[in-house]
Amino acid sequence: MRSERQEYQKQKKKNRKWKRFFTTIFILFAAVFAYGFYQYKQGVSQSTERANVQKVDYEFNGDVDQEGGTNILLLGSDSRGEEKARADTIMVARYHPDNGTYKLISFMRDTYLEIPGYGQGRINTAFLKGGPELVRETLKANFGLDLQYYAIVDFEGFVQLVDEAFPEGLEIDVEKRMSKNIGVTLEPGLQRLDGKHLLGYVRFRQDAVGDFGRVERQQKVVKKIAEELTSIQSVPKLPKLVGVVTPFVNTNMDAADMVFIGKDFITSGNREISSLRVPVDGAWQNANINGASVLAIDVQKNREAIQGFISK
């Protein structure tokens, strides 16, 4: 009888330990969630005072990638979110959770393609005519890309994100003097650029290589930002960074999606970002169509290059 009572007391004590353990875990989880939510709201409040972006509910009939990847259409705009905005930057960011791979495809804005329902035209006119949904349809029809999400980022959001994440600026080796049509003047050499000057750097295209150099710089800066974020172990800052950029973004992703993908990248063992430019070398030529300078491309060769790139 005594041994049964002792066994009962022992089991009761053990149950209390487990109860305290789970209570502690719950409190820690709640504290982390509350801290993250507070940081996110603080970032939103900080940017709302500066943002002047009209939020537009765009139609977007995105599909899940058949290979299990998450493809996000990224569009850069400097027109404050107006519905007839000009897409100055067109990219697809690809994240594959099972493979742990991160990829970036840049589409040059003068690429001449078949735009469903509108005939042929430059790819950046697809956004003017039909928003992100028509860009999605264009990329799907020409290259077989399935896009699940879209994010239209006002360039001022890029400036605020850089300034919040890197208060001392981002170190970039500026390869030449740049000033025309970018709102700032950059001198050549290794230097730290704040958000405004970094935006000027990635937008410059007034030289011999034109948009090719601009796209190369965009990919260089995206990789540099990703590298710097991982080097300072930015997981605690992620909620606030997402909050800072949110007022400047039109997207069908929610904040939890963005934090989840960002956390996976920062904590991943493989943080390398592979990149591709479309059109690829050897599969395009300059052309003049109806008085406009465009890039006439071999659609099939570029389609094969894209499919090969995302399947690795």
Side-chain angles (χ1 to χ4, degrees):
M1 190 73 177
R2 185 174 180 179
S3 61
E4 289 181 3
R5 189 181 298 112
Q6 288 175 338
E7 187 64 31
Y8 171 77
Q9 293 296 333
K10 185 178 179 182
Q11 185 63 40
K12 190 175 180 181
K13 187 176 181 181
K14 186 177 180 180
N15 290 340
R16 283 199 298 266
K17 284 184 177 180
W18 278 110
K19 186 176 181 180
R20 284 196 297 268
F21 173 76
F22 284 118
T23 300
T24 302
I25 293 297
F26 175 79
I27 292 172
L28 287 174
F29 178 81
V32 169
F33 176 82
Y35 172 80
F37 183 74
Y38 170 76
Q39 290 291 308
Y40 169 75
K41 297 298 287 185
Q42 190 178 53
V44 170
S45 176
Q46 176 178 313
S47 286
T48 299
E49 299 174 1
R50 304 167 181 168
N52 185 27
V53 178
Q54 295 179 359
K55 295 289 186 175
V56 180
D57 290 328
Y58 289 104
E59 174 189 7
F60 197 77
N61 302 312
D63 295 318
V64 177
D65 182 74
Q66 295 179 358
E67 296 185 4
T70 298
N71 294 331
I72 307 165
L73 174 63
L74 302 176
L75 300 169
S77 167
D78 61 353
S79 58
R80 300 295 181 184
E82 297 170 3
E83 195 164 0
K84 294 296 182 182
R86 173 172 59 95
D88 197 57
T89 298
I90 303 172
M91 295 180 172
V92 170
R94 177 177 175 80
Y95 162 62
H96 200 298
D98 295 334
N99 299 340
T101 54
Y102 303 85
K103 300 185 178 184
L104 188 68
I105 307 173
S106 295
F107 295 88
M108 297 184 66
R109 62 184 185 178
D110 292 335
T111 302
Y112 201 67
L113 295 172
E114 184 69 28
I115 300 175
Y118 292 89
Q120 292 190 313
R122 290 171 171 160
I123 188 173
N124 68 336
T125 65
F127 185 66
L128 280 169
K129 296 178 184 297
E133 170 61 13
L134 188 56
V135 179
R136 183 196 70 78
E137 292 175 10
T138 300
L139 294 178
K140 174 67 174 178
N142 289 274
F143 305 122
L145 270 175
D146 289 313
L147 304 174
Q148 186 175 1
Y149 299 110
Y150 74 87
I152 307 165
V153 184
D154 187 274
F155 286 138
E156 181 60 25
F158 173 84
V159 172
Q160 298 302 324
L161 178 65
V162 170
D163 288 343
E164 179 65 33
F166 312 107
E168 297 180 2
L170 194 69
E171 188 173 76
I172 293 290
D173 190 2
V174 180
E175 58 269 26
K176 64 188 75 175
R177 191 176 190 276
M178 303 175 182
S179 62
K180 190 173 181 180
N181 297 336
I182 60 174
V184 296
T185 297
L186 300 174
E187 300 295 342
L190 187 65
Q191 55 201 283
R192 286 193 170 274
L193 302 180
D194 63 12
K196 182 179 179 180
H197 288 80
L198 191 62
L199 176 62
Y201 177 74
V202 299
R203 298 195 69 191
F204 181 74
R205 65 194 296 261
Q206 306 299 323
D207 59 6
V209 292
D211 211 32
F212 285 90
R214 187 177 71 100
V215 167
E216 183 178 341
R217 283 187 288 276
Q218 287 176 350
Q219 293 187 342
K220 170 184 173 181
V221 167
V222 169
K223 292 180 181 180
K224 182 68 174 179
I225 289 175
E227 176 186 327
E228 290 295 315
L229 284 175
T230 58
S231 68
I232 61 176
Q233 294 299 306
S234 300
V235 171
K237 295 184 69 174
L238 265 179
K240 186 172 184 181
L241 293 178
V242 171
V244 165
V245 77
T246 293
F248 297 97
V249 177
N250 272 326
T251 182
N252 62 340
M253 299 180 69
D254 59 34
D257 290 328
M258 291 187 277
V259 171
F260 175 77
I261 293 175
K263 177 189 70 64
D264 269 17
F265 176 76
I266 291 174
T267 59
S268 170
N270 174 28
R271 298 173 183 142
E272 180 182 353
I273 299 177
S274 303
S275 59
L276 179 73
R277 185 207 70 219
V278 177
V280 298
D281 291 339
W284 66 274
Q285 59 183 355
N286 287 312
N288 190 293
I289 300 177
N290 298 325
S293 296
V294 301
L295 299 176
I297 75 168
D298 185 322
V299 173
Q300 185 58 34
K301 284 186 178 179
N302 281 280
R303 183 184 181 113
E304 291 172 357
I306 292 172
Q307 293 301 323
F309 176 70
I310 66 176
S311 64
K312 294 177 182 177

